C-alpha cells in the first residue's frame, strides 16, 4: 500500500500552505472545539499565536452525538475561522463532514476527517481527488490497520497530502474518555511514512490531563499535536471539560517543544 514503509522508506513531509509537517519538526495546532462567535475565535486565535502554535483549529460543522446539541456555525464558522487565521498569521484546520460542503472549505488550509467519518469511504474517495491536505483521525473503534486502510482511499485517489491523527479508541477503561495508546503511536510511525499527529484532548476528556497525554504523544514520536483550547473553557458550547485555557496551552506548548528537543 501507498501508506507503508515498503512503498516509501523515508518519512514523507506534507506541505500545508507553505508549512512543512513531518520530517523532524513539531507542528502544533490549537483552538476551540467549535467556533462559537467572532469575539471567541479572535480571542482564542490571539492566545494560540502567543502560545507559539503554527495552526488554528476550530469546528464549524460539528458531529454531535445528540441532534439537540450545538451543531456549529457552519459556513459562518468557516468564515470566522479563516478571518481569525489571517488576522493572527495562523494556518487553519476544520472538520469536513460532507463532501457537498467542500466549496465552503476552500478558504481553510487543511481538512479534518473526524473519528465518526474515518470509514466514510465516499468522503475519503472524494478527498483523494481534492487539492488540500487532509488530517485523518482514527475511528472510535477501529484498529491501526483499518485507520491506515482509510488513508489508502485518499492516497490512491491521487492526494498524497495525508496526515494521520490519533485520537484514541474506545476501550473498557473509563478513567479517560478514550484510551490513547502510546504503543499505537510508536507503531504507526514504524508502519507508515506519513506524518502522524496526536489529539490528546478528546481521549483525555478532562483538561487537567491533556498535558500529560500531549507529552506522552511527543515522546512516542508524533510530528504534530492538535489541542483544544478556549478562552473560557467552562463556558464552551461543546467539549467544555477537556478544552484547556490559554495559560495551560502556553505551558503545554513550552513543555512539548522541550520534550521534542530531547528526542
Ligand atoms: C474534534 O476534533 O472536535 C472532534 C470531533 O474530534 P473526533 O472526531 O476525534 O471526535
Ligand atoms: Mn471536540
Amino acid at each position: 500500500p501507498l501508506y507503508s514503509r515498503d512503498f516509501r522508506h523515508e518519512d514523507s513531509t506534507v506541505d500545508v500552505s507553505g508549512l512543512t509537517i513531518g520530517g523532524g519538526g513539531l507542528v502544533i495546532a490549537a483552538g476551540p472545539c467549535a467556533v462559537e462567535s467572532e469575539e471567541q475565535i479572535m480571542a482564542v486565535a490571539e492566545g494560540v499565536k502567543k502560545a507559539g502554535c503554527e495552526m488554528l483549529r476550530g469546528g464549524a460543522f460539528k458531529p454531535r452525538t445528540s441532534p439537540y446539541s450545538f451543531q456549529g456555525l457552519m459556513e459562518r464558522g468557516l468564515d470566522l475561522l479563516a478571518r481569525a487565521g489571517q488576522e493572527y498569521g495562523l494556518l487553519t484546520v476544520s472538520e469536513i463532514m460532507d463532501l457537498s460542503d467542500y466549496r465552503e472549505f476552500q478558504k481553510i488550509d487543511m481538512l479534518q476527517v473526524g473519528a465518526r467519518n474515518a470509514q466514510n469511504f465516499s468522503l475519503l474517495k472524494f478527498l483523494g481527488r481534492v487539492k488540500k491536505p487532509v488530517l485523518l483521525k482514527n475511528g472510535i473503534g477501529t484498529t491501526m490497520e483499518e485507520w491506515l486502510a482509510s488513508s489508502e482511499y485518499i492516497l490512491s485517489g491521487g492526494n498524497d497530502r495525508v496526515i494521520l491523527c490519533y485520537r484514541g479508541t474506545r476501550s473498557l477503561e473509563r478513567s479517560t474518555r478514550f484510551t490513547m495508546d502510546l504503543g499505537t503511536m510508536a507503531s504507526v510511525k514504524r508502519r507508515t511514512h506519513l506524518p502522524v499527529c496526536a489529539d490528546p484532548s478528546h481521549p483525555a476528556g478532562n483538561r487537567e490531563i491533556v498535558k500529560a497525554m500531549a507529552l506522552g504523544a511527543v515522546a512516542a514520536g508524533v510530528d504534530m499535536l492538535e489541542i483544544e483550547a478556549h478562552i473560557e473553557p467552562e463556558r464552551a458550547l461543546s467539549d467544555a471539560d477537556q478544552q484547556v485555557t490559554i495559560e495551560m496551552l502556553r505551558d503545554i506548548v513550552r513543555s512539548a517543544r522541550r520534550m521534542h528537543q530531547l528526542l
Side-chain angles (χ1 to χ4, degrees), residues 5 11-14 20-27 189 193 195-196 218 221-224 256-257 259-263:
R5 293 256 183 208
D11 285 348
S12 51
T13 59
V14 168
T20 300
I21 301 184
L26 179 68
V27 167
K189 284 292 299 175
H193 55 84
V196 175
V218 172
V222 302
D223 305 284
M224 176 177 174
R257 299 223 187 269
M259 168 150 290
H260 188 253
Q261 288 277 304
L262 295 174
L263 300 178

Side-chain angles (χ1 to χ4, degrees), residues 33 57 62-63 95 112-116 137-138 140 167 178 199 202 226 228 239:
C33 179
R57 66 146 282 151
K62 294 304 300 175
E95 177 171 352
Q112 176 170 316
V113 175
R116 289 154 193 83
K137 296 226 182 171
N138 65 289
I140 289 175
R167 49 84 73 220
F178 297 98
D199 164 0
H202 290 86
E226 185 189 39
E228 286 193 344
D239 287 348

Side-chain angles (χ1 to χ4, degrees), residues 34-36 62 64 66-73 237-238:
V35 178
E36 299 171 358
K62 294 304 300 175
R64 304 306 302 282
S66 166
Y68 307 121
S69 300
F70 175 59
Q71 301 286 307
L73 299 181
L237 300 181
S238 57

Side-chain angles (χ1 to χ4, degrees), residues 135-136 147-148 151 162-166 188 192 194-198:
L135 186 66
L136 174 65
W147 175 30
L148 289 167
S151 75
V162 178
I163 295 164
L164 294 161
C165 181
Y166 184 61
V188 78
T192 179
L194 298 173
V196 175
C197 173

